[in-house]
Amino acid sequence: MSTARGGFSSRMGFILAAAGSAVGLGNIWGFPTQTASNGGAAFVLVYLVLAFCLAYPAFMAELLIGRYGQANAVTSMEKISRSLWQKRFAFVVGFGGIVCVVLILSFYGILAGKMMSYAIEPVTSLLGLNDASSWLISQSVVRNLIFTALFMVLTIAIIRRGVEDGIEKWSKRLMPMLIGLLILLIIYVFTLEGAKEGFAAYLNPDISRVFEPDLLISALGQAFFSLSLGTSVMVIYGSYISKSENLVTLGAQVTLIDVSIAFLAGLLIIPSMYVAQAQGVAIFSDDGSLISGPNLVFDVLPTLFTGMGAIGLFVAFGFFVLMSIAALTSSISMLEGPVSFVVERHNVERKKATTFIGFGIFILSALIILNFDVLFGLVISLSTVYGQPLIAMLCCVFVGWIWQRSGVLEEIKQGNDSAEHSLFWKVWPWYTKFVCPSAIAIVFFHSL
Ligand code: TRP
């Protein structure tokens, strides 16, 4: 099944790699914290609806473009374009996605590095290396630079090996570990006092909040970030799938895994907060809302782990290893975006391109670390709040208005003989043409 440019060797390989890209800090950290700050289960409900009704169709648009083009994002979109202006439009959207994902990786690497330093801390504590432990978990430029670099080196090492030997092989190893760790941690937290209360807070929706604009915007942003949309990544993953696979079902399976893991992560984090409260840790801020954001992961949970005594070291280790793995299977997909572009368009050898681009992105991260207060938030909003929805919307416009309908249907039919009788066939093309771009645009402009 692999072509000369590489490709996933099996259906499972694709599912785990795409789910690996989708499941990341966004699921295990972003989703529970957003849930905590947006009224608990009301957010979960809205998220589920938006993930399936808007993010999944947009996700399919990107996968189909890639599978049709069998090339990096820019080339794939150019292949579909017929006139000069369409080709220019294709370049802007494809290349825009690549710029966007480079920015995302530059801040994501910093957070992931921090997860790694927090994962090592329980080990140094166990060994009695107290100075090292406190250095690992205290904020410093040097620590951030070292661990961001370390995380980038891991990402580069996997991407240098290519699609089958790198992305697929490591996703197959890491994703089962991630799911296993997550379930073990949930079971353990459930045996602790306070967990039931957290469980209730997570699952009882305050329906009155469902239509709050801020909640809708956060949920949409979260869904797009989680499915790695608007960044060329899913176009490139789509290009590595064989024409004999049923893309519509594969895409749905990946979406389902992504959403389920976000939901499971909520089952871990929100009850953990209430367990922490039962142990005397403050989990509500002054205005009465649940603590969210960085404080949750880097203060509340570590305090909880410390309160557990010796076993807390193992739980903390498990938790931050889980975070690091989730980040790594995502960061490899991010690096693949620019690497595939440079390898295919500029004929650079893969290993060289990977090291060079990875190093460049690390320099960006270093700039952010050195100017943290100014740049960190700015890069996050530029790439995730503006860039991703905008480019995802343009991808839908591209499929709906530029790609000839017969061509789109032809691509859907590949590997899916009975496609013509499915609901997807009947609804998706016009849905992607009209509903997706307008809905994304409405939410996007509202957020401005
Ligand atoms: N989806 C990942 C998460 O939830 C992040 C991610 C991976 C991503 N690849 C991406 C986000 C590409 C945007 C673009 O953490």
Side-chain angles (χ1 to χ4, degrees), residues 121-136:
E121 189 268 341
V123 180
T124 52
S125 283
L126 206 61
L127 298 174
L129 306 170
N130 294 336
D131 288 346
S133 295
S134 63
W135 178 76
L136 283 168

Side-chain angles (χ1 to χ4, degrees), residues 54 61 78 105 126 213 220 281 284 326 365 381 434:
L54 276 181
E78 283 179 347
L105 184 50
L126 206 61
L220 187 73
V281 181
F284 291 98
S365 306
S381 359
F434 299 105

Side-chain angles (χ1 to χ4, degrees), residues 246 412-421:
N246 180 342
I412 296 176
K413 243 202 280 193
Q414 302 273 349
N416 183 2
D417 296 333
S418 55
E420 272 154 277
H421 308 291

